[in-house]
Amino acid sequence: PPCLHLPRKEGKVARIFKQRSAMYMRVLCLAALCVSASAFSPSSSIPSLRSARHASISPSLSAAPSLGKAMRSGAMNGLRMQAAYGKTQVAEATEKATGTVIFLHGLGDSGNGWTKLRDTISVPHVKFLCPTAPTREVTACDGMSMPSWFDIEGLTPSQLRVDPEGIQQSVDHVLKIVEDEIAAGTPSDRIVIAGFSQGGNIALAAAMQAKVPLGGAIALSTWYPRGIADKPDAVNSKMPIFIGHGESDPIAKSEWGSKTFEYLTELGMPTEGNIYPEMGHEFKPAQVTDIKVFINRVLGTQTTVELPKPLGMTLEEGAEGEGMVVVSGLKEGGSAEASGEIQVGDQILAINDKIVKGQGFDATMDAIVAAEGDVSVRLNRPPADRTIAWTALSQEEQDRRLNTAGGIIKVCTDRACMNQGSKATVRWLTELTPETFSVTRCSCTGSCGKGPNVVVSGKGKEEKVVYETNSVGQAVKMLMEEFELSVDPTKVQNLINPEKNVEFAMSDELVRQGLMQTVDVRSSFAGNRF
């Protein structure tokens, strides 16, 4: 009887529904990866991406399994290797370029939108190179063609590593860009390789494989390229690395970022970063300040000075584990002091064009001793730590800031003022003031009322306490009244309501479609700091 066939028919329908649902969710997951990777793309790009996604969900997808097999075949691997890379977009530095960031986009994106990082990060002497991945069929997207640094079969660690040939091809492409940049006159130690998601994976792999000392690497919302680059080349064993990851990331799990940090730290590499609460697989304003600080430090102001021997300066090992050598003192009347171009705290990058950055004290001294005649010293001057406690500065540094800084601002961070938002006030003032200003923390300045107290002073300015600076508006008002400092209204808007700046980020597609809720965040921003 017909009714006896009903369960069989229901089972078939259920299986088809299950297959289609799994396929639909897989495509949506990858759409999230693509859309959120376009952190700087205009919203007008979304409909076309949606159209492609929905057009792919059709009966023709029944051929997807055979397509997946074909893509894993030797013939398809041959096609992967022939993929042509897109144009590298260039965002020139707003001042004379002395450093370069090579930034790699995520799956389905292009280099074009990420050139806006130059203005967002705003380091005037650094230019940005933004390559575009080749357009290829991606197995995990059921054969849809899109810019992709390598093929993936899904979102598990093993599925993300099925195309080592494609990964290596993209690594070689990035290292060729590094090679060309060096040939154009940029020292290798003034180059940072960075990337988001799939691009972050390639950035890490390329930085670890590089045979020349690099300035650093930045990996955002990504995973470690195991099996491709398990250890750095010896010249980059002390290369600084920044890791950034969203705690609510539904694509690249936050623990992947933590494990990457732990692994690099175990290798002895100076690694830092953050797990950002309430952030998914995206690029958001919370990362901008951290990345800017990192780039400013590793690609600080560069100076080259010709000095006769004796040099007249004392040197010492810098921060533990970084292999940097810094100027710790200037001899009165010596060559270094007479040049007027060297300061205590400057980092030694190269001696007579021989890069010694990250190579340690002995290698630097050997290069100086071996130099004949005048010595060419190339130095990096990282910006002063603008959030350090004032009392942690030496008397010499305090005096230097008082005499040379555009202004001195100290924010009370005692418990009462901390409860009134002093950490936010430090961040606001750091963002709103020029690099010439000194923004530091200080201890109690009196009774903390509705907001943290701020102490202002500077050259020719009597020290004064400004009470209850507990909002961006009040911070702007204080800067105008105390220092006659005009503030960029765009920066103010970004601090007040960063989500309204559409150039910063786009929420995950899964969350936007209501198919997945964000994960509850219980840990604090400070507690997530690497």
Side-chain angles (χ1 to χ4, degrees):
C3 62
L4 294 180
H5 296 282
L6 189 57
R8 186 174 297 174
K9 289 182 180 179
E10 285 185 340
K12 184 178 180 180
V13 171
R15 284 196 300 274
I16 293 174
F17 179 77
K18 185 176 180 180
Q19 291 169 356
R20 291 284 170 85
S21 296
M23 193 175 300
Y24 183 75
M25 285 305 296
R26 186 165 66 251
V27 174
L28 268 181
C29 274
L30 270 299
L33 191 61
C34 297
V35 172
S36 57
S38 295
F40 297 94
S41 64
S43 57
S44 59
S45 66
I46 301 174
S48 61
L49 209 158
R50 282 179 180 163
S51 299
R53 185 182 70 227
H54 290 307
S56 68
I57 302 170
S58 66
S60 64
L61 282 179
S62 60
S66 60
L67 175 63
K69 291 179 181 178
M71 292 188 73
R72 289 189 291 273
S73 69
M76 186 55 71
N77 282 335
L79 288 176
R80 286 174 181 160
M81 297 306 291
Q82 296 169 15
Y85 287 83
K87 182 180 179 181
T88 295
Q89 303 293 329
V90 181
E92 296 289 355
T94 55
E95 297 178 1
K96 181 182 177 181
T98 61
T100 300
V101 173
I102 301 171
F103 196 94
L104 312 178
H105 62 77
L107 178 68
D109 205 351
S110 71
N112 188 53
W114 288 93
T115 56
K116 294 180 182 177
L117 271 176
R118 182 200 64 182
D119 300 323
T120 304
I121 302 295
S122 187
V123 181
H125 58 272
V126 174
K127 72 175 177 180
F128 282 77
L129 301 181
C130 302
T132 296
T135 297
R136 64 176 93 213
E137 294 176 326
V138 178
T139 306
C141 293
D142 294 288
M144 287 196 302
S145 292
M146 63 186 69
S148 177
W149 296 107
F150 51 90
D151 187 27
I152 61 174
E153 291 186 349
L155 300 176
T156 66
S158 60
Q159 290 173 323
L160 292 168
R161 297 185 177 122
V162 295
D163 185 16
E165 298 90 351
I167 295 174
Q168 189 58 55
Q169 180 191 13
S170 291
V171 168
D172 293 342
H173 178 71
V174 173
L175 292 178
K176 179 63 169 62
I177 295 174
V178 171
E179 187 180 308
D180 292 344
E181 191 64 11
I182 294 170
T186 303
S188 67
D189 61 283
R190 300 289 294 176
I191 298 174
V192 169
I193 305 179
F196 173 84
S197 191
Q198 205 189 40
N201 182 268
I202 295 297
L204 277 176
M208 299 291 271
Q209 286 191 18
K211 304 296 183 184
V212 292
L214 296 174
I218 300 172
L220 307 174
S221 303
T222 191
W223 55 96
Y224 190 81
R226 295 268 187 180
I228 299 295
D230 290 332
K231 290 184 179 180
D233 188 86
V235 297
N236 283 310
S237 62
K238 298 300 179 183
M239 174 178 60
I241 298 176
F242 179 89
I243 306 292
H245 218 107
E247 188 172 46
S248 307
D249 194 329
I251 306 296
K253 306 304 179 186
S254 62
E255 56 262 33
W256 297 356
S258 299
K259 288 180 179 179
T260 298
F261 168 78
E262 292 168 4
Y263 179 70
L264 293 170
T265 302
E266 288 172 4
L267 292 178
M269 304 184 76
T271 309
E272 61 186 280
N274 220 328
I275 297 289
Y276 297 92
E278 300 182 328
M279 192 177 93
H281 195 73
E282 54 196 331
F283 186 86
K284 297 189 75 172
Q287 294 174 294
V288 173
T289 300
D290 287 347
I291 295 172
K292 180 176 181 177
V293 168
F294 179 81
I295 292 176
N296 255 320
R297 189 171 71 250
V298 300
L299 300 180
T301 304
Q302 179 180 260
T303 307
T304 301
V305 186
E306 300 286 336
L307 297 175
K309 287 185 175 181
L311 304 185
M313 60 182 179
T314 56
L315 305 177
E316 65 180 26
E317 197 91 34
E320 185 178 354
E322 294 187 2
M324 296 294 297
V325 174
V326 301
V327 177
S328 58
L330 301 177
K331 184 178 179 181
E332 188 174 351
S335 301
E337 185 186 61
S339 73
E341 297 186 64
I342 300 179
Q343 293 181 6
V344 172
D346 287 352
Q347 301 169 334
I348 308 296
L349 299 179
I351 302 295
N352 285 357
D353 294 328
K354 176 181 173 59
I355 295 175
V356 295
K357 176 185 178 181
Q359 306 304 305
F361 185 82
D362 291 343
T364 302
M365 293 305 299
D366 288 345
I368 292 174
V369 171
E372 297 181 0
D374 288 355
V375 181
S376 175
V377 184
R378 184 160 58 83
L379 306 113
N380 179 59
R381 183 170 299 159
D385 185 349
R386 303 180 74 200
T387 57
I388 193 173
W390 179 260
T391 52
L393 299 174
S394 66
Q395 187 61 51
E396 181 184 33
E397 176 61 13
Q398 288 183 9
D399 292 341
R400 187 190 71 78
R401 293 194 183 195
L402 285 168
N403 291 323
T404 64
I408 303 293
I409 303 175
K410 296 180 280 187
V411 181
C412 178
T413 53
D414 280 356
R415 180 176 295 276
C417 282
M418 283 285 281
N419 293 338
Q420 298 294 339
S422 60
K423 284 181 68 175
T425 302
V426 170
R427 181 171 66 86
W428 298 333
L429 293 172
T430 301
E431 284 293 310
L432 295 171
T433 55
E435 295 290 342
T436 54
F437 270 60
S438 170
V439 180
T440 61
R441 295 179 285 111
C442 69
S443 56
C444 189
T445 54
S447 175
C448 294
K450 296 179 181 178
N453 299 333
V454 174
V455 181
V456 296
S457 62
K459 188 175 182 180
K461 183 178 180 63
E462 186 176 348
E463 190 168 272
K464 172 184 177 182
V465 179
V466 180
Y467 294 97
E468 300 181 359
T469 309
N470 63 349
S471 71
V472 176
Q474 288 177 333
V476 171
K477 182 181 177 183
M478 182 272 290
L479 292 173
M480 293 175 68
E481 291 178 348
E482 299 297 331
F483 299 101
E484 298 181 354
L485 185 67
S486 59
V487 178
D488 182 354
T490 304
K491 288 185 177 181
V492 177
Q493 171 62 35
N494 291 341
L495 287 172
I496 294 173
N497 194 348
E499 300 306 327
K500 288 199 178 230
N501 185 344
V502 296
E503 291 183 352
F504 271 121
M506 192 180 301
S507 297
D508 296 308
E509 181 74 356
L510 292 176
V511 175
R512 219 159 51 79
Q513 296 289 349
L515 297 172
M516 180 182 290
Q517 293 184 347
T518 52
V519 178
D520 289 334
V521 178
R522 296 182 177 84
S523 49
S524 68
F525 182 86
N528 283 325
R529 191 83 189 177
F530 289 146

